[in-house]
Amino acid sequence: MSDAFIYDHLRTPRGRGKKDGSLHQVSPVWLLRSLLQALQQRTQLDTALVDDVVLGCVTPVGEQGADIARTAVLDAQWAQTVAGVTQSRFCASGLESVNLAAAKVRGGWEDLVVAGGVESMSRWPMGSDGGAWVMDPRVNHKTGFVPQGIGADLIATLEGFSRDELDAFALRSHQRAAAAREQGHFARSIVPVHDIAGLLLLDQDETIRPQATVQAMARLEPSFAAMGQMGFDATALRRYTTLERIDHVHHAGNSSGIVDGAALMLVGNGEGGRKAGLKPRARIRAAAVIGSEPTIMLTGPTPACHKVLAKAGMAASNIDLWEVNEAFAAVPLKTARDLHVDLERVNVNGGAIAMGHPLGATGCIILGTLLDELERRGLGVGLATLCVGGGMGIATLIERV
């Protein structure tokens, strides 16, 4: 079986996911077009060598629908022989794309695959596509559906995480992201976004707050208490009968930001890289997905990490750096506790609390950030993981070459 190597990766900056956000005026296809063209230019890639483009998009409707991967390939004027497919594994879609690309390459059917994702959340809000899980009352009741924020608060209650602990973690995310940006840690991977006239729209992540304080966070109201009172707390408590109530401790300051963004990663085998004249930066050692309890929904990273470590024949202590998506502060805190990982090795450049979570792209973004930081520090092995809607988890383990 062939090795699957990462040859390059890049991303857009993440723009605030509101109508006044810097990326709102550009379409998701434009974000992908910009990255595809940048990838070709900086690697001098003969695009005819690429077999497929695999993209994640969680809300594949409107401009993001109709297989946006193939649309973007054509809009970027890549070789028409390059195919494109769009998939959704909810919040893990960007990393799932990389794992699918690696599987295609390792299986020997394809030599070079571009993977990644896109989400324009200012133009197509989360939930725009509906779905039976949320919209069908019978399915909703049978699966014990509650909004993700209720699940995050449920985790915090079960684990005993206080509001102060969550806010302290969130503050650290902003501080680390601000320092990383200031020191140029993201410069290699970020492609500035320009409009059709060539005017710069955004060249850095827009939602980092260097001046954030725990005092300011303490003034924010819990985001999910009202939803809980609507009956979702009761739904969750029917499954978690040891609790009398759920403490609502997550809010806008310690949860991931809503943003626009896209990311790409070039994955291939050794022969594909040689034909393209490229040197590999890392090997994808193993990948794993799991299903977990769907009401609490967000506990998937721990079993996904156990599974991927077992596949690689490694232990958590062998991992130099971790990227655990900051969907909500309780998620990386629980994952680090479960795996006995020092938080000094987790999200060392901040995460989605500071920089936002463009759903379809985030997994690819954090894997790329992980690779860049391994290279910067001269370290060898990293693991990226995300919790996933519907009760799932995903993990990918890479090593530098």
Side-chain angles (χ1 to χ4, degrees):
M1 188 172 290
S2 301
D3 279 327
F5 297 107
I6 299 172
Y7 286 100
D8 203 4
H9 74 91
L10 39 71
R11 68 175 178 92
T12 68
R14 284 167 275 193
R16 198 159 68 93
K18 304 287 185 181
K19 290 186 177 180
D20 60 352
S22 295
L23 297 182
H24 173 68
Q25 67 173 283
V26 296
S27 70
V29 170
W30 185 266
L31 296 178
L32 291 169
R33 174 187 185 274
S34 301
L35 291 184
L36 287 165
Q37 291 182 342
L39 178 62
Q40 188 278 321
Q41 290 164 8
R42 82 179 201 173
T43 60
Q44 294 299 296
L45 179 65
D46 176 2
T47 60
L49 295 173
V50 176
D51 296 295
D52 202 4
V53 173
V54 182
L55 294 181
C57 184
V58 176
T59 311
V61 296
E63 299 163 303
Q64 296 184 155
D67 193 0
I68 193 172
R70 176 60 174 169
T71 304
V73 164
L74 296 174
D75 191 35
Q77 295 184 298
W78 276 33
Q80 68 177 12
T81 54
V82 181
V85 62
T86 307
Q87 55 79 29
S88 172
R89 195 186 287 279
F90 291 151
C91 307
S93 298
L95 193 57
E96 177 68 10
S97 293
V98 176
N99 294 350
L100 287 173
K104 286 163 158 288
V105 167
R106 284 172 59 86
W109 286 7
E110 295 175 2
D111 297 323
L112 279 179
V113 180
V114 172
V118 65
E119 208 77 35
S120 184
M121 300 181 76
S122 70
R123 296 165 74 101
W124 297 99
M126 183 167 48
S128 298
D129 57 337
W133 184 44
V134 178
M135 304 298 292
D136 185 324
R138 181 190 64 81
V139 175
N140 189 291
H141 176 74
K142 187 172 183 177
T143 58
F145 168 79
V146 301
Q148 287 190 359
I150 303 292
D153 286 340
L154 180 55
I155 290 172
T157 305
L158 288 166
E159 296 290 329
F161 295 136
S162 68
R163 166 85 179 243
D164 288 345
E165 287 178 277
L166 301 179
D167 287 356
F169 182 88
L171 178 63
R172 185 184 307 171
S173 181
H174 282 283
Q175 291 172 336
R176 287 179 170 181
R181 182 174 65 183
E182 180 68 23
Q183 295 163 20
H185 295 181
F186 304 135
R188 180 176 182 178
S189 63
I190 287 184
V191 175
V193 177
H194 298 80
D195 68 13
I196 198 168
L199 297 176
L200 177 65
L201 297 176
L202 189 64
D203 62 358
Q204 60 182 357
D205 296 313
E206 192 170 27
T207 61
I208 300 172
R209 297 191 295 277
Q211 307 306 319
T213 65
V214 290
Q215 291 79 15
M217 288 188 189
R219 292 193 291 270
L220 296 173
E221 294 293 325
S223 296
F224 308 104
M227 290 183 185
Q229 293 174 359
M230 293 168 57
F232 290 118
D233 277 5
T235 298
L237 291 172
R238 281 196 293 272
R239 293 211 172 180
Y240 292 85
T241 56
T242 60
L243 296 178
E244 293 183 0
R245 64 184 179 85
I246 296 173
D247 295 326
H248 291 288
V249 287
H250 285 90
H251 52 77
N254 59 27
S255 305
S256 56
I258 294 172
V259 292
D260 302 331
L264 296 178
M265 186 168 281
L266 181 59
V267 178
N269 57 25
E271 181 62 21
R274 282 189 290 273
K275 287 181 180 179
L278 300 172
K279 293 183 178 180
R281 295 173 60 185
R283 176 185 293 106
I284 299 174
R285 279 282 302 272
V289 291
I290 60 91
S292 60
E293 199 281 300
T295 296
I296 202 168
M297 199 185 308
L298 309 175
T299 56
T302 295
C305 289
H306 283 310
K307 185 176 180 179
V308 80
L309 287 167
K311 286 183 176 294
M314 302 177 77
S317 59
N318 300 132
I319 305 301
D320 296 312
L321 292 175
W322 298 73
E323 284 287 329
V324 183
N325 187 41
E326 296 173 0
F328 302 90
V331 175
L333 285 174
K334 174 175 169 53
T335 306
R337 174 186 284 181
D338 291 344
L339 298 170
H340 307 289
V341 173
D342 189 335
L343 286 173
E344 291 304 309
R345 293 191 287 139
V346 177
N347 302 356
V348 297
N349 290 314
I353 288 173
M355 293 174 283
H357 179 15
L359 305 177
T362 303
C364 183
I365 290 174
I366 66 173
L367 190 66
T369 298
L370 179 64
L371 174 55
D372 286 348
E373 191 63 19
L374 288 171
E375 291 177 337
R376 194 182 73 81
R377 298 189 181 206
L379 298 174
V381 183
L383 193 154
T385 184
L386 298 92
C387 58
V388 190
M392 292 184 283
I394 191 169
T396 302
L397 194 154
I398 63 172
E399 66 177 357
R400 289 179 56 215
V401 297

